[in-house]
Amino acid sequence: MAASVVPFRIPGCRLDAVQADPSDLTVDASSKARSAVCPGCGHRSRRVHGLYTRSPADLPVSDRAVGLRLRVRRFRCLSEACPRRTFAEPFPDLVARHARRTDRLAASQVRTGLATGAEPGARLLRDLRMPTSPDTVLRLLHRHPVPEAETPRVLGLDDWAWRKGRSWGTILIDLETRRPVDLLPDRTSTAVSAWLRDHPGVEVVARDRSTEYARAVSEGAPDAAQVADRWHLLHNLRQVLVRHLTSVRGRLRTLPGVESLPASEYQPGRRTAAERAASAASRDRHHARYVEVRRLHAEDGLNALQIAHALRIDRKTVAKYLAADAFPERGRHSVPPSVLAPYQEHLNARWAEGERSALVLYREIGALGYSRSSRPVSRWAQGRRTEPHPRTPRKYLTGLREPVESAPRRGRLPSTRKLAWLLVRDPEALDASETAVLAHVRQDTEVARLHDLARLYNRMVREKRPDDLDGWLEASRTSGISALATFSDGLRRDYAAVRAALDEPWSSGQAEGQINRLKMLKRQMYGRAGFDLLRKRVLCSA
């Protein structure tokens, strides 16, 4: 093949020959230079001492891998003071010394590794006719430098889980360019304040309400304005609502009219005796733990952390038990629509006509498009059957007891989290059943007062009304609700950042998005990569 048909150039070289195979392309080339500079003394030499061949890999062409055969000359150094006797001519714009791949191929492999990781990258590179091993991709990634980012004017701070519940790190985002600036291996105030001191010039810092980050910014960048994240402000209010509702849930269950609350449209199937026994045993275990927590606190004087260590349970569970005025019963979970819902009308009609065979009903709705198993149909029929099917064999009727008609399910209070969500939602967005639940719990004066203050707070944050903050803080402090008073005290301690959140447009939303991307990169490496490699991938592939 003629050298002129090669669709790429080789910097500083001339093409000598091209050999084409079905899957490979081999290009013979040699340097155009007549002389070379000795790397030891810097003298130029034109005296050739010998020749040898290098075979680095290059970027592929179409579906063919490309390999170079470089004719390399060794020159004799003519300087008597130089310790080198000979040296090889360099190819500075093409391939590094001792490298097995050209610089442009190495750059492509690095970009692929940054985007996909070592193992997936090696598989992809093999399909792209740039084959290499995962270990080589890792070496190239570790060798790749991290670009130095400019110090941002507006910085976003947030934490991310290196190991969920165990170790945490900090991500720093330039909120103006929407790019990650750096990654820190922990979320302590010492690490963050040291970074801020090393990068002066930050004017605004958007963060969550972590006291560690607040202290770090005050120490590392005392002149920077701190802005609390609005989502975290709303989330903190919901936590307050959950904490208070958990403590008064026993009282809410005794309010008049709880039986008339609307029940869920979709009810779970009838549970077996074994399922009911397991549920009762689980409730008894939790109740015994609740009683023990209260006893250790009242009689032995232990605090929440000491009780958590003694009973080997989470301190949040201990705090919930200590705050509750009665045992917090398990709330009713929302029931998803049944798989039989699209065929409910047909099933009810056939049942009214006298059809009692679950198998016949299953086949009928199967003809209508039902593609699941027969088990839901059998359980549906079992919950409505009050007498044996007429064609039931006699041997199965032995010992049959009289059926008992189950009482209709009455309404119950939703879970505490559901109630907290109802208290912060726009009343116009609630349906009839949710409105009835809200009206029921507002019979409690504390809950009604909490609901009014929660609506004011929600409107203040969403509509960004900084002038309403002082009045709301005072109303919460004097509300008589301890959880809300504690929350308002915390907002007062972070007053400047909270007020800035209602004035400034900045938030931590971009940091949350970058954390999602960071988790994806971490999982691509199966959680086995070190912090340095993860930091490099986050910063270089942004």
Side-chain angles (χ1 to χ4, degrees):
M1 180 183 291
S4 59
V5 302
V6 177
F8 57 87
R9 69 182 190 90
I10 305 178
C13 298
R14 59 174 174 267
L15 298 180
D16 297 332
V18 178
Q19 297 180 5
D21 292 329
S23 60
D24 300 298
L25 202 65
T26 303
V27 179
D28 294 335
S30 57
S31 177
K32 295 179 181 179
R34 295 185 177 182
S35 61
V37 176
C38 175
C41 62
H43 284 76
R44 184 172 293 276
S45 175
R46 300 182 63 178
R47 183 175 296 182
V48 177
H49 175 73
L51 300 171
Y52 70 95
T53 302
R54 292 182 63 183
S55 302
D58 202 1
L59 288 173
V61 174
S62 185
D63 60 343
R64 294 182 178 183
V66 175
L68 301 182
R69 260 199 317 237
L70 298 178
R71 183 171 176 266
V72 185
R73 295 170 292 180
R74 291 197 68 85
F75 288 89
R76 183 183 294 277
C77 183
L78 303 179
S79 174
E80 296 181 356
C82 181
R84 291 177 177 267
R85 309 302 294 175
T86 62
F87 62 92
E89 62 179 333
F91 295 85
D93 299 327
L94 180 62
V95 60
R97 288 183 178 274
H98 311 298
R100 300 298 301 273
R101 58 190 51 80
T102 61
D103 295 341
R104 54 195 179 191
L105 174 60
S108 297
Q109 291 174 338
V110 166
R111 287 193 293 269
T112 304
L114 288 173
T116 62
E119 294 282 352
R123 292 194 295 268
L124 178 60
L125 289 168
R126 184 166 55 250
D127 295 337
L128 296 177
R129 299 297 187 270
M130 297 183 285
T132 189
S133 68
D135 290 339
T136 300
V137 176
L138 278 178
R139 283 195 297 270
L140 293 174
L141 291 178
H142 284 298
R143 196 181 305 160
H144 186 69
V146 177
E148 288 292 335
E150 297 183 359
T151 300
R153 187 183 69 87
V154 183
L155 181 69
L157 285 178
D158 208 345
D159 55 8
W160 55 275
W162 179 255
R163 288 187 177 180
K164 188 173 182 179
R166 295 188 179 183
S167 57
W168 304 79
T170 299
I171 189 169
L172 299 95
I173 308 295
D174 187 339
L175 295 183
E176 291 182 313
T177 62
R178 307 172 73 86
R179 294 173 64 89
V181 177
D182 207 345
L183 218 63
L184 303 181
D186 56 48
R187 58 175 179 178
T188 61
S189 60
T190 303
V192 177
S193 61
W195 190 94
L196 291 172
R197 283 192 294 269
D198 294 339
H199 300 78
V202 177
E203 300 178 7
V204 180
V205 178
R207 56 168 178 82
D208 58 19
R209 298 193 58 242
S210 167
T211 56
E212 283 287 314
Y213 287 156
R215 182 164 56 251
V217 178
S218 300
E219 296 173 356
D223 297 332
Q226 300 187 39
V227 181
D229 181 58
R230 287 182 293 278
W231 182 89
H232 284 90
L233 291 175
L234 296 173
H235 179 65
N236 294 152
L237 175 66
R238 283 197 64 190
Q239 291 175 322
V240 171
L241 296 178
V242 169
R243 186 160 60 248
H244 180 74
L245 292 173
T246 300
S247 65
V248 301
R249 186 172 180 85
R251 192 170 72 215
L252 297 181
R253 287 202 304 269
T254 63
L255 292 174
V258 67
E259 299 85 358
S260 61
L261 289 178
S264 174
E265 178 182 358
Y266 300 104
Q267 301 294 345
R270 179 182 295 177
R271 297 191 300 173
T272 65
E275 290 172 337
R276 293 194 297 271
S279 178
S282 175
R283 192 262 182 196
D284 292 341
R285 287 195 303 272
H286 285 83
H287 184 267
R289 183 178 296 172
Y290 167 78
V291 172
E292 181 65 13
V293 167
R294 303 283 294 193
R295 187 192 67 79
L296 290 175
H297 180 69
E299 299 178 5
D300 298 348
L302 301 183
N303 58 32
L305 188 59
Q306 292 170 333
I307 296 174
H309 286 316
L311 300 182
R312 302 178 66 85
I313 59 178
D314 192 88
R315 61 181 179 84
K316 295 179 182 178
T317 303
V318 176
K320 179 178 71 172
Y321 286 165
L322 293 179
D325 55 0
F327 174 63
E329 297 284 354
R330 183 180 302 171
R332 183 180 61 187
H333 296 285
S334 60
V335 181
S338 169
V339 295
L340 300 178
Y343 314 99
Q344 197 70 46
E345 184 177 351
H346 175 83
L347 292 173
N348 291 335
R350 294 288 289 134
W351 193 266
E353 293 172 2
E355 180 57 62
R356 297 295 184 265
S357 173
L359 183 59
V360 172
L361 295 174
Y362 167 68
R363 289 170 177 170
E364 288 180 359
I365 64 175
L368 298 177
Y370 179 74
S371 59
R372 306 291 287 271
S373 71
S374 60
R375 180 62 176 168
V377 184
S378 299
R379 298 196 68 169
W380 180 89
Q382 182 183 3
R384 286 157 179 78
R385 188 174 290 122
T386 59
E387 60 184 11
H389 190 272
R391 294 192 296 272
T392 302
R394 184 179 299 275
K395 63 180 180 179
Y396 295 123
L397 298 178
T398 304
L400 186 67
R401 294 177 297 179
E402 289 294 327
V404 178
E405 187 71 24
S406 60
R409 293 177 60 89
R410 298 180 300 176
R412 295 171 53 188
L413 277 178
S415 66
T416 303
R417 292 182 180 275
K418 177 66 175 178
L419 283 177
W421 176 236
L422 294 179
L423 292 181
V424 297
R425 287 191 65 189
D426 185 358
E428 297 180 358
L430 303 179
D431 57 25
S433 61
E434 293 171 337
T435 303
V437 172
L438 190 59
H440 173 78
V441 298
R442 278 185 63 90
Q443 295 179 89
D444 187 272
T445 55
E446 278 192 2
V447 174
R449 190 159 56 249
L450 181 66
H451 179 214
D452 294 337
L453 290 172
R455 287 180 56 190
L456 291 175
Y457 180 88
N458 202 38
R459 189 181 305 117
M460 175 183 68
V461 175
R462 290 183 179 276
E463 299 178 6
K464 302 179 68 173
R465 300 179 178 179
D467 296 336
D468 297 347
L469 179 59
D470 293 333
W472 188 89
L473 291 175
E474 182 60 26
S476 299
R477 188 182 65 82
T478 59
S479 64
I481 303 174
S482 60
L484 198 60
T486 303
F487 177 56
S488 65
D489 290 341
L491 294 182
R492 286 183 184 276
R493 289 192 294 269
D494 203 15
Y495 182 83
V498 173
R499 188 176 181 87
L502 308 180
D503 272 332
E504 301 290 338
W506 310 110
S507 71
S508 300
Q510 178 58 215
E512 298 289 349
Q514 293 291 345
I515 289 174
N516 285 338
R517 177 173 159 271
L518 183 151
K519 291 178 180 178
M520 180 199 69
L521 296 177
K522 183 164 68 76
R523 288 164 184 161
Q524 277 184 342
M525 298 183 287
Y526 300 95
R528 295 181 296 181
F531 172 78
D532 293 337
L533 182 58
L534 179 62
R535 174 176 178 269
K536 187 168 295 187
R537 288 194 64 189
V538 169
L539 299 181
C540 293
S541 59

